[in-house]
Amino acid sequence: MMRAMTKSDEDRGITLRIAQEPAADELLARSPLAALVGMLLDQQVPMEWAFAGPYALARRMGKDDLDAHEIAAYDPEAFTELFTAKPALHRYPGAMAKRVQQLCQFLVAQYDGDAGAVWSGAATGAELRRRLNALPGFGTQKAQIFLALLGKQFGVRPPGWREAAGPYGEAGSHRSVADITGPESLAEVRAHKQEAKRAAKAAKAAAKGR
């Protein structure tokens, strides 16, 4: 289970470089909820923008961390304003504000607001994937990517975690945010995503031409 960083955590090298901003990455490393929110925001925007979002949101709320109970109970309109205030926290700030609030409401109802409990109680990789997949806004792909992130960078490795994460769990891959450890790997992951998009577009064009 992820928790507030301690000196021993630092000694084990639990350091993230996903957001490419030290303060934002430090929050992701110590806050399970921040990591989940970052993953939720990771669509239709650059990865580093998505994962810097939790830190920006916490600052706008006047806190040094995110609290599921507080977000779940927040006035929806006021919470949306936190996302839409310039600079907006996402390309689609209104929709993502709603999704973040729904995620937190689910965590409060199912896990008493403890985001880390989603994975701390999973006995196997398959169970962890089911738990992640049940979260609002988490489809199969997002669940697998986050599972790979937990295994590769947080040491959350229940039996079968790589298999449950699918291709994102492969060692040495550069497919997703789970593989980002700095600017160089970020560029490699971005190049992989762009190539995948080109291949999908070509396949779609070829199918239409048949």
Side-chain angles (χ1 to χ4, degrees):
M1 172 179 171
M2 295 192 306
R3 61 206 183 289
M5 280 183 61
T6 65
K7 181 61 178 175
S8 60
D9 287 326
E10 294 171 357
D11 291 340
R12 288 199 298 271
I14 301 177
T15 302
L16 300 183
R17 294 186 176 87
I18 298 172
Q20 307 292 299
E21 295 180 18
D25 281 322
E26 188 274 335
L27 176 61
L28 296 172
R30 65 179 167 83
S31 171
L33 180 56
L36 274 181
V37 170
M39 188 72 247
L40 181 64
L41 297 177
D42 185 21
Q43 58 189 67
Q44 299 182 300
V45 295
M47 291 171 284
E48 61 271 33
W49 182 9
F51 280 88
Y55 177 72
L57 176 60
R59 285 179 61 88
R60 291 182 182 188
M61 296 180 75
K63 305 294 177 62
D64 63 0
D65 196 355
L66 298 179
D67 181 272
H69 288 278
E70 180 180 7
I71 293 174
Y74 219 89
D75 175 75
E77 289 188 10
F79 192 67
T80 297
E81 288 177 4
L82 294 175
F83 270 73
T84 57
K86 295 183 178 180
L89 299 187
H90 195 274
R91 183 181 179 186
Y92 302 105
M96 297 313 294
K98 183 177 180 179
R99 289 189 182 184
V100 169
Q101 198 158 33
Q102 289 173 336
L103 171 64
C104 289
Q105 289 166 348
F106 181 88
L107 291 172
V108 168
Q110 299 296 323
Y111 296 97
D112 195 27
D114 181 5
V118 174
W119 48 90
S120 65
T124 66
E127 181 184 355
L128 177 51
R129 185 174 66 184
R130 287 193 296 271
R131 285 173 172 232
L132 291 170
N133 207 170
L135 298 175
F138 277 67
T140 298
Q141 183 183 49
K142 195 177 289 286
Q144 287 185 314
I145 291 173
F146 192 76
L147 199 162
L149 176 62
L150 289 173
K152 292 180 175 182
Q153 300 205 43
F154 288 101
V156 178
R157 298 165 181 166
W161 73 272
R162 285 192 186 275
E163 294 78 3
Y168 304 105
E170 293 176 3
S173 65
H174 288 94
R175 296 176 180 274
S176 72
V177 67
D179 304 307
I180 296 174
T181 56
E184 184 175 324
S185 54
L186 171 61
E188 291 183 76
V189 170
R190 181 162 286 131
H192 173 84
K193 286 177 172 286
Q194 291 172 344
E195 179 56 35
K197 286 182 179 179
R198 281 194 293 268
K201 186 176 181 180
K204 185 176 181 179
K208 284 185 176 180
R210 289 174 186 169

